[in-house]
Amino acid sequence: MSTDFSVDDKLGLLENTIDYFWTQFAGIVVLLMQLGFAFLEGGCVRYKNMQSIMIKVYLNTCIAIICWWLVGYGICMGHGQFAGTDYYAGSNFAGTKHYSHWVLQASVGAAANSIVSGGAVERMSIIGYCFLSVAFSSFIYPICAHWTWGGGWLQELGYIDLAGSGTIHFMSAVGALVLTIMLGARKNRWDEKYANDFNPSNTTYICLSTLSLYTCWIFFNAGSTTALSGTMAYAAGRATTNTMIAGASGGLTLMLLHYYKNRDEKAKFSLVMICNGNLAGLVAVTGSCDGIELWAAFVIGILGGLTYWAFGILIHKFKVDDPVDAFPIHGGCGLIGAQFPGWFNTEKGILYGYGAKQWGIQLLGSVVWLGWSVVLHVVVIFLLKILGLLNVPPEVEEKGLDYAQCGGGGFDYQLLPPVLSSNGYDNVKSAINQKQDNIPQFGQENDQQQVV
């Protein structure tokens, strides 16, 4: 049998190799977003819960990978309008693109799962969160991914969402909102006497994690093209450039807003707010970044920052205890990000004379994500509550999950100066509160900005 290949065959093989490597490499980098989420949420919570929230992020990473191997990828990328019917447990992967595509989709699924974890901070049981992660990774999210990218009915309608402003961020943030409401507020959260107790414990972690997420987000968005051959290299480059611009303009927008609001105070600048704005811009541009011009990315970043600010005011007004601001960032900005293809897409957007049809499709998708996420998360979380797996006991919440269930704090207090290390968490909290001025957030005197 001859093993000679034509020039066209060799070129086709080379293109496939480039595309598959790009998709797999992007997936590997996207998995590093879990490091960013772990330190981001760890920096936002109190010291007594730092280790427990990192455990939850790490566990949802492991759970997502196993669930995506067994059922998630099959539901997402298999054939069918409602859900896929093949590729379960790696079946029919041999000799196909699906090995490399699985790497990307499993990593993205883990990142989506970590958005929901923001609602579980400081008061949800670790075992209960594991069960929620299984449900999210096995069914709740894969169905949505199939409708958008796997040949489902929304994709057939023409819904546009390259890397998931609506499909991932908005849908997952709605789940986080449902979770945090059903868990209830943390003890003393809205008591002004204890306001400083709920400030982020480590803004250095927040900065480090946001910068790492910013970098990984480029591969998240550009890698979602799943190809570099031919003209797809242009699409990936455009997605990369727009992602960087939107993140930067979002960060600058929140810095300026915070400075203007606090120009006569000591806290004129806020590292956390810059990080908030950066993530807001990234979420807002995620769905449209491959089909818009550079000026539009700059505008979208600004709109993302303003949206985060507005949704932050809203959830504080209604006293929703969202410990890491998961909903203002991923929910509010994901919602508007899902609309932007209908406005800014150069081939289908309203601003380019193509009418409102595409925007109508985008609105339909957003309604679907809202309804699907609310119903499924309410059902799963209610079952966990019935089984006694939702909230930790009050005494565990008071002591902190790290000390009650995880063998101690997230770091060794013996490494701290004696004035801090002698009595552990209580002295650390006391020393921090003595030095911290109240930093206003969204017009409230005693809330410091938090973010995921």
Side-chain angles (χ1 to χ4, degrees):
M1 180 180 294
S2 173
T3 58
D4 293 336
F5 293 97
S6 68
V7 173
D8 288 341
D9 289 337
K10 291 178 179 178
L11 288 175
L13 181 61
L14 178 61
E15 288 183 354
N16 287 340
T17 301
I18 293 171
D19 293 345
Y20 297 167
F21 174 78
W22 166 243
T23 303
Q24 180 170 301
F25 180 73
I28 293 169
V29 176
V30 168
L31 189 60
L32 288 173
M33 293 182 80
Q34 295 302 90
L35 177 66
F37 280 118
F39 274 81
L40 191 58
E41 296 184 19
C44 286
V45 302
R46 292 171 285 181
Y47 282 106
K48 62 182 181 178
N49 293 298
M50 184 181 292
Q51 185 176 190
S52 65
I53 190 58
M54 291 188 176
I55 288 174
K56 288 173 182 174
V57 173
Y58 212 125
L59 285 174
N60 79 42
T61 304
C62 298
I63 289 169
I65 288 172
I66 299 302
C67 289
W68 272 84
W69 164 52
L70 292 174
V71 295
Y73 188 82
I75 291 174
C76 173
M77 300 306 293
H79 297 90
Q81 284 195 326
F82 182 81
T85 57
D86 44 12
Y87 305 126
Y88 290 88
S91 61
N92 301 318
F93 273 23
T96 71
K97 67 181 182 180
H98 293 292
Y99 283 116
S100 58
H101 282 231
W102 179 89
V103 173
L104 177 61
Q105 291 298 334
S107 298
V108 169
N113 210 333
S114 292
I115 296 171
V116 181
S117 72
V121 167
E122 298 198 336
R123 63 233 199 263
M124 185 176 186
S125 76
I126 293 175
I127 297 300
Y129 178 71
C130 287
F131 280 110
L132 178 60
S133 293
V134 170
F136 184 88
S137 299
S138 299
F139 184 73
I140 296 175
Y141 169 64
I143 289 287
C144 299
H146 179 76
W147 292 345
T148 299
W149 302 300
W153 65 276
L154 269 177
Q155 187 176 28
E156 290 186 355
L157 283 178
Y159 181 73
I160 297 174
D161 198 1
L162 175 68
S165 282
T167 311
I168 295 173
H169 293 279
F170 178 59
M171 189 279 296
S172 301
V174 170
L177 181 65
V178 171
L179 178 58
T180 199
I181 290 174
M182 293 185 71
L183 281 167
R186 292 166 290 174
K187 183 179 178 181
N188 298 322
R189 175 63 185 93
W190 302 111
D191 189 331
E192 293 296 327
K193 294 187 299 183
Y194 298 95
N196 272 354
D197 286 2
F198 296 92
N199 286 340
S201 62
N202 196 319
T203 56
T204 304
Y205 278 6
I206 294 173
C207 179
L208 172 67
S209 58
T210 303
L211 286 170
S212 67
L213 285 170
Y214 196 0
T215 302
C216 294
W217 217 297
I218 294 169
F219 289 90
F220 190 112
N221 287 359
S224 294
T225 62
T226 67
L228 278 182
S229 59
T231 58
M232 292 308 295
Y234 168 77
R238 194 182 202 185
T240 297
T241 307
N242 285 328
T243 300
M244 294 174 69
I245 291 173
S249 65
L252 289 173
T253 298
L254 264 294
M255 186 276 288
L256 292 172
L257 270 175
H258 181 83
Y259 181 85
Y260 178 77
K261 183 176 180 294
N262 299 281
R263 60 192 181 279
D264 297 324
E265 307 293 335
K266 290 181 179 180
K268 291 180 174 65
F269 298 98
S270 169
L271 174 61
V272 178
M273 287 304 280
I274 296 172
C275 293
N276 289 2
N278 181 237
L279 294 177
L282 292 171
V283 172
V285 82
T286 288
S288 59
C289 57
D290 66 326
I292 60 174
E293 296 186 48
L294 303 186
W295 67 265
F298 178 75
V299 172
I300 285 172
I302 294 172
L303 295 176
L306 295 174
T307 300
Y308 163 74
W309 186 273
F311 273 77
I313 294 172
L314 191 63
I315 67 167
H316 278 72
K317 179 179 177 61
F318 288 99
K319 297 189 182 302
V320 175
D321 186 11
D322 184 354
V324 294
D325 275 1
F327 190 73
I329 290 286
H330 299 281
C333 299
L335 176 61
I336 65 163
Q339 316 312 313
F340 288 146
W343 287 85
F344 294 106
N345 187 280
T346 57
E347 296 179 358
K348 296 185 178 182
I350 291 174
L351 297 180
Y352 292 86
Y354 291 98
K357 179 181 178 181
Q358 187 61 48
W359 186 29
I361 296 173
Q362 301 302 122
L363 285 170
L364 173 63
S366 299
V367 172
V368 169
W369 305 142
L370 177 63
W372 177 263
S373 189
V374 168
V375 171
L376 270 293
H377 279 99
V378 166
V379 170
V380 173
I381 295 167
F382 183 71
L383 288 175
L384 292 175
K385 186 172 184 178
I386 291 176
L387 295 172
L389 296 173
L390 188 58
N391 292 79
V392 297
E395 62 272 16
V396 172
E397 181 183 339
E398 178 70 22
K399 186 174 183 180
L401 274 73
D402 284 9
Y403 294 92
Q405 298 183 343
C406 302
F411 56 85
D412 187 355
Y413 288 112
Q414 298 303 317
L415 299 178
L416 294 172
V419 67
L420 296 181
S421 62
S422 58
N423 291 320
Y425 170 73
D426 289 336
N427 270 353
V428 173
K429 181 178 72 172
S430 176
I432 290 173
N433 287 343
Q434 287 175 13
K435 293 183 178 180
Q436 279 187 329
D437 291 321
N438 294 344
I439 300 177
Q441 176 195 25
F442 309 127
Q444 305 228 354
E445 285 297 320
N446 293 312
D447 286 328
Q448 179 165 336
Q449 306 87 338
Q450 299 178 352
V451 54
V452 134

